[in-house]
Amino acid sequence: MKRLNLPSDTKIPFMRYRVPALIGSVIACILSLALFALVGMNYGIDFQGGTMVELRFEEPRPIADIRQEVGNLGLGDVQIVEFGEPTDVLIRVEEQPGGEEAQQLAVIQLRELYANDAEFRRVEVVGPRVSGELAQAGLIAVVTALLAIMIYIWLRFEWHFAIGAVLCTLHDVVLTIGLYSATQLDFNLTSIAAVLTIVGYSLNDTVVVYDRVRENLRRYKRLPMSELIDLSVNQMLSRTLMTSITTLLALAALFVFGGEVIRSFTFAMIWGIVVGTYSSIFIAAPLLITLNLRPGRAPGGGTGDGDDEAAAGDAEPSAA
Amino acid sequence: MLHFPRWQSVLIVLAVILGVAAVIPNLVPRSWVAALPSWLPKERIVLGLDLQGGAYLLYQVDQEDYIQSRLRTVTNDVRETLLQAPRIGYTGLGVVDNGVEVRIRDNTRIDEAAQRLSQLRNPLGQGVFSQGGVNEFAFTQGDNGLMRLSFTEEGLAQRIRSIVDQSIEVVRRRVDELGTTEPNIQRQGEDRILVEAPGGDPEQLKSLVGTTAQLTFHLVDTSVNPNSILERGRAPAGKMLLMTSEENEYEPGVPYVVDEAPLITGEDLTDAQPAFEQQTNEPVVTFQMTTSGARRFCDVTTREAAARTPFAIVLDDEVVSAPSIREPICGGAGQISGSFSVQSANDLAILLRAGALPAALTLVEERTVGPGLGADSIAAGETAAIVAAVLVAGSMVLVYGLFGVIANIALVVNIVLIMGLLSLLGATLTLPGIAGIVLTMGMAVDANVLIYERIREEGRAGRSPILAIDAGFSRAFATILDANVTTLIAAVILFQLGSGPVRGFAVTLAIGVLTTIFTAFLFTRLMVAMWVRRRRPTEVPV
């Protein structure tokens, strides 16, 4: 069988593009934040409260009819979208004024309306007491995860790496928020899981590149920083591509065959993998230069300070 | 790196075999699992509600409802205490804010009244951890004989805790009566109860769990006209106005004025069953009373039979029916008729058997998934997993050849171990969990890719094949560890702070990271080592 050869021994001058890449990323981040501030996200019922019902009708029904019928119930803002099959419909009703019982009343009204000609495949009701807590818990989860990871990298590497990794991860999170704002995909609890996975993946990628940078820092003590990073990224390029491609293949399978319920979740992750791969090369690595990781180590450097020694001990564990 | 002592190889293979053994119960029929020898693992992966259909209901104990009903009882207690011989005159007895107030009319007997009422502070039983007694109520005295019993903060907190415990018990009995298999009922936070029940009719479950089911029998006061009381809106002291349920807007409820103190409460019942009234063939609920309940009922019915006083059967403040007492009822058995359907008679019997909730429960979050959607989700998840596995495995072989095959065997072992660990832990597999496994498949090859790419590099740097392989493994080790530990941190935090779908995803992600580290460091390395020993390669094989 003929093997497919991954590019090896590449000499792509990534760092030559670092200024345009950084500028591009900053613009993209600002755009994302602007979208978030001006348009906002389409928060699902997890965070806003309300009722969501997935119905399967016996035969396809025009959305306009359903909109008319549900509209007559006077439930305020109602969103009705087709969901996968032509017979399937997702109805989202905003949080009803009047506390928990009022939400239940909305479901009862919907049931009375459609109990005879549709299967209620999914009913979700999040009351006002819980929705605020869920949003808070989600935010705490993201922030805590970032902090914990930063501390881990700080312990294992030098502080430049920790800051670089977290900035790069924030970049990915901001762009993901931008994606949710731009596409108005439902942002719910599952989206929080997607964001955290993107965080995990992006860090995974960043750490792998950083690991090689650290190793090369010890090996090539005279090499200018930008060349050293180019070398490291090129050395890891085939791995980065291979891993991104297999992960994207797996996610593509999930996107196409995994069902409507997790489609937006998978979509966000695919975006996250692409952004995460880009950012580990074009953001995380150059940030090390910006953060002045090796100051004053021009030609003739290589003082071999304590940090390097400690790191060397980590890189080749004798116990393994 | 490539040398494995025999005991290490044996342990690695044993771990894999254990993983396979742990997966087996999921693949064979349940009856076979029961027949397996006892030392084999028998746990199956629990399918989440999103995969098998079912209901996730989060209830909150209605503190306000409890406080109000508790204060009503205390009001009665205060009245009875003051009426004890010798009786003390009082006025203005009622609930004010979170306490009960009363004014003593006779100034000379204020001390005596204070002495009697302070008995009602009700020290709560000391738990294992609480030192010293906590009074449920604080007793305070104002001017002009004003006296007040109000909830103490600690007393209320302790009460709420025990109410949640009690409610969990009642809910569990009710759900068990419904015949739901493997329901999960647990406390969540201070005052919440989570009910997860797979399958079944979510509407029936909701109506059963959410009903307080406070059953009481009261004598009806026939001396007053209930309609005039309804107009005035206020019942005389010691009496209360109750309505039958409203059928619809044309048939409004019928008012009854009844004694506030009940004859019999749900606690006096020992059993309740749905049945049919023999003459009319209407569904009814029959019940048995405890000995003391039966004696009390016998006394009252004997006394009232001549007057043909009706008594009201009241469920959650609504009159179900109000039959007249025609003859003494002393057998300790009775029946409740009303306009029941077979279903509602059955539900009421379940509620009476399981007992009443100490306080009303408010449904604050509800997620139900129909069995149809669950089955669709499983099918979709399986298809996605298979397609993902084929794509990932294919690209590995395409790029790495023989070592790609080794990576694929490792991938299969990895998935088996994830499934095995999920089974052993009795973890719940949800749809986001399947997504986590599929994602792990994509990322699991990362460890192998890192190793193989490293071997290639070392080979290009001029090392001999065996040295290159050895260095490839040892150099990739630190990278893989760092990369996976960061993901593990994210997964653990997701699990700790997340709920529902986030948790399901975090579990498989965390397990996936652990099994990935195992397969990359031990299993893949062992396979490569065995291959190297047999083949003695002369060129770098990847």
Side-chain angles (χ1 to χ4, degrees), chain A residues 3-4 46 104 111 121 123-125 127 129 133 152 156 196-197 204 211-212 215 238-239 243 257, chain B residues 60 192 203 206 363-364 366-368 370 376 380 398 439 446 453-454 457 479 482-483 494 505 541:
Chain A
R3 270 200 230 159
L4 205 69
D46 290 344
Q104 285 298 323
R111 274 194 198 277
R121 282 161 70 83
V123 177
E124 298 193 358
V125 183
R129 289 193 225 193
E133 295 168 28
Y152 174 77
R156 290 281 290 160
L196 277 151
T197 317
N204 193 27
D211 219 63
R212 184 54 67 98
E215 189 182 326
S238 44
R239 171 268 158 191
T243 299
F257 301 104
Chain B
Q60 182 161 341
R192 294 206 178 137
E203 287 307 302
K206 262 162 64 181
L363 185 55
V364 292
E366 170 192 358
R367 293 169 201 267
T368 53
D376 285 2
L398 210 57
L439 184 73
D446 185 51
E453 289 296 322
R454 196 74 202 218
E457 263 183 71
T479 313
D482 278 332
L494 272 182
F505 181 73

Side-chain angles (χ1 to χ4, degrees), chain A residues 1-6 8-9 46 54 56 100-101 104 111 119-127 129-130 133-134 137 140-141 144-145 148-149 152-153 156-157 189-190 193 196-197 200-201 203-204 207-208 211-212 214-215 219 235-236 238-239 242-243 246-247 249-251 253-254 257-259 261-262 265 269 314-317 320, chain B residues 1 58 60-61 192 202-203 206 362-370 372-373 376-377 380-381 383-384 387-388 391-392 395-402 431-432 434-435 438-439 441-443 445-446 449-450 453-454 456-457 460 474-475 477-479 481-487 489-490 493-494 497 499 501-502 505 509 525 541-542:
Chain A
M1 187 185 203
K2 199 172 158 279
R3 270 200 230 159
L4 205 69
N5 274 317
L6 287 175
S8 56
D9 258 342
D46 290 344
E54 191 189 324
R56 170 165 286 177
E100 321 296 350
E101 288 77 14
Q104 285 298 323
R111 274 194 198 277
E119 174 196 349
F120 278 68
R121 282 161 70 83
R122 187 156 53 120
V123 177
E124 298 193 358
V125 183
V126 179
R129 289 193 225 193
V130 175
E133 295 168 28
L134 289 177
I140 292 176
T144 320
I149 288 163
Y152 174 77
I153 297 178
R156 290 281 290 160
F157 293 76
L189 269 183
T190 323
L196 277 151
T197 317
Y201 184 87
L203 273 162
N204 193 27
V207 167
V208 167
D211 219 63
R212 184 54 67 98
R214 183 173 61 175
E215 189 182 326
R219 196 185 292 174
Q235 283 175 338
M236 299 314 287
S238 44
R239 171 268 158 191
M242 186 68 194
T243 299
T246 52
T247 309
L249 283 176
L251 282 174
L254 211 51
F257 301 104
V261 181
I262 49 172
F265 169 71
M269 293 231 277
D314 286 342
E316 293 183 44
Chain B
M1 280 301 268
L58 186 63
Q60 182 161 341
V61 169
R192 294 206 178 137
E203 287 307 302
K206 262 162 64 181
T362 308
L363 185 55
V364 292
E365 191 183 346
E366 170 192 358
R367 293 169 201 267
T368 53
V369 172
L373 180 62
D376 285 2
S377 294
T383 313
V387 174
L391 289 175
V392 170
S395 53
M396 286 303 279
V397 174
L398 210 57
V399 172
Y400 295 115
L402 173 71
L431 190 56
I434 295 183
V438 175
L439 184 73
M441 285 202 253
M443 286 174 63
V445 298
D446 185 51
V449 172
L450 277 167
E453 289 296 322
R454 196 74 202 218
R456 273 187 182 173
E457 263 183 71
R460 277 201 299 272
S474 59
R475 293 261 168 101
F477 187 92
T479 313
L481 206 61
D482 278 332
N484 279 296
V485 169
T486 45
T487 311
I489 290 174
I493 288 169
L494 272 182
L497 300 178
S499 67
V502 179
F505 181 73
L509 193 63
R525 196 153 59 88
V542 280

Side-chain angles (χ1 to χ4, degrees), chain B residues 60-334:
Chain B
Q60 182 161 341
V61 169
D62 190 335
Q63 295 205 21
E64 202 43 46
D65 172 76
Y66 169 73
I67 291 173
Q68 290 313 317
S69 81
R70 180 79 183 108
L71 289 180
R72 270 202 302 277
T73 359
V74 173
T75 311
N76 272 332
D77 291 347
V78 168
R79 181 183 303 119
E80 273 175 30
T81 310
L82 293 176
L83 290 182
Q84 273 167 15
R87 52 191 298 165
I88 301 174
Y90 65 87
T91 175
L93 172 63
V95 173
V96 179
D97 294 331
N98 70 338
V100 174
E101 282 187 1
V102 67
R103 197 176 290 279
I104 305 303
R105 272 200 302 231
D106 186 351
N107 277 336
T108 58
R109 297 181 64 192
I110 283 180
D111 287 342
E112 192 190 339
Q115 211 268 326
R116 280 202 209 171
L117 290 184
S118 59
Q119 301 288 317
L120 295 175
R121 279 178 299 192
N122 189 24
L124 297 172
Q126 281 105 337
V128 183
F129 301 110
S130 59
Q131 288 291 314
V134 173
N135 285 330
E136 185 180 12
F137 293 99
F139 177 74
T140 47
Q141 250 177 293
D143 300 330
N144 295 329
L146 184 72
M147 301 194 174
R148 180 178 169 81
L149 281 164
S150 50
F151 272 109
T152 63
E153 224 169 274
E154 305 83 15
L156 189 59
Q158 193 168 329
R159 274 290 186 172
I160 297 293
R161 266 198 305 279
S162 67
I163 283 172
V164 174
D165 290 340
Q166 226 177 310
S167 302
I168 288 175
E169 268 316 299
V170 173
V171 170
R172 176 165 296 136
R173 282 201 296 269
R174 289 183 186 176
V175 177
D176 284 347
E177 289 269 7
L178 207 52
T180 314
T181 47
E182 302 174 33
N184 173 25
I185 296 152
Q186 63 186 56
R187 174 194 211 103
Q188 199 150 80
E190 283 290 304
D191 55 358
R192 294 206 178 137
I193 299 169
L194 173 64
V195 180
E196 285 180 298
D201 173 9
E203 287 307 302
Q204 197 193 1
L205 181 73
K206 262 162 64 181
S207 70
L208 270 184
V209 173
T211 312
T212 316
Q214 203 75 250
L215 181 86
T216 46
F217 290 7
H218 300 260
L219 275 182
V220 175
D221 186 345
T222 47
S223 65
V224 291
N225 180 355
N227 281 310
S228 67
I229 302 286
L230 183 64
E231 273 161 37
R232 265 197 298 163
R234 206 185 142 89
K239 308 282 172 187
M240 58 185 178
L241 185 71
L242 294 176
M243 313 285 287
T244 57
S245 75
E246 288 175 42
E247 290 296 321
N248 53 49
E249 53 190 308
Y250 306 110
E251 263 185 73
V254 180
Y256 286 92
V257 174
V258 302
D259 287 353
E260 210 167 43
L263 287 177
I264 295 281
T265 69
E267 280 154 35
D268 297 312
L269 303 188
T270 53
D271 190 23
Q273 293 295 336
F276 289 95
E277 161 78 57
Q278 288 189 339
Q279 281 143 17
T280 58
N281 216 20
E282 263 188 1
V284 293
V285 177
T286 61
F287 59 82
Q288 294 288 324
M289 279 180 264
T290 59
T291 329
S292 68
R295 194 179 310 125
R296 226 172 325 133
F297 201 57
C298 181
D299 289 349
V300 175
T301 49
T302 310
R303 197 177 67 218
E304 301 288 339
R308 297 215 153 197
T309 317
F311 69 100
I313 299 173
V314 178
L315 184 68
D316 290 342
D317 294 338
E318 269 188 3
V319 177
V320 177
S321 61
S324 292
I325 302 169
R326 295 196 191 91
E327 54 200 40
I329 303 169
C330 294

